[in-house]
Amino acid sequence: MTRPSEIGIYIFKEDDGLDRRERLLRAAELYCGRRVPGAVGQGEAGKSCLRELLYMEKTPLGKPYFPKAKELHFSISHSGAYWVCAFAPGEVGVDIQEHTMNRSETRQEATARFAKM
């Protein structure tokens, strides 16, 4: 079972100028650097080496994965202005949902709907 201390959650703003692939690689670098001291903090050479390890492919259904780091599991979610990714050494899932009001509901009705989620 994956312990909470083994999970890394990384949040990015959708308007940060990065594409989804770049966000995923940056989050992976942060997670791997956290788990392997010095892996990211070795300047550009260290980042280049880590990027090589984290070479990405996609399954036939389009889910990205790291064939050279199969033990690296992750889940991605995005909603509204945010993109989030969770990494772990085992299966992991993350989901975010931007709370918005429907045109026909009051703030009180929207709050009640959010509370049910």
Side-chain angles (χ1 to χ4, degrees), residues 50-71:
L50 187 59
R51 290 266 173 140
E52 185 177 310
L53 170 70
L54 295 177
Y55 166 76
M56 195 170 22
E57 292 185 7
K58 289 188 177 184
T59 68
L61 295 176
K63 180 182 180 351
Y65 71 99
F66 301 108
K68 295 181 180 180
K70 293 184 187 222
E71 70 285 353

Side-chain angles (χ1 to χ4, degrees), residues 91-110:
E91 292 296 321
V92 65
V94 66
D95 188 36
I96 60 170
Q97 181 66 49
E98 180 180 39
H99 290 199
T100 58
M101 284 180 46
N102 294 329
R103 290 183 203 185
S104 61
E105 69 185 351
T106 66
R107 182 170 300 279
Q108 185 177 17
E109 291 168 333

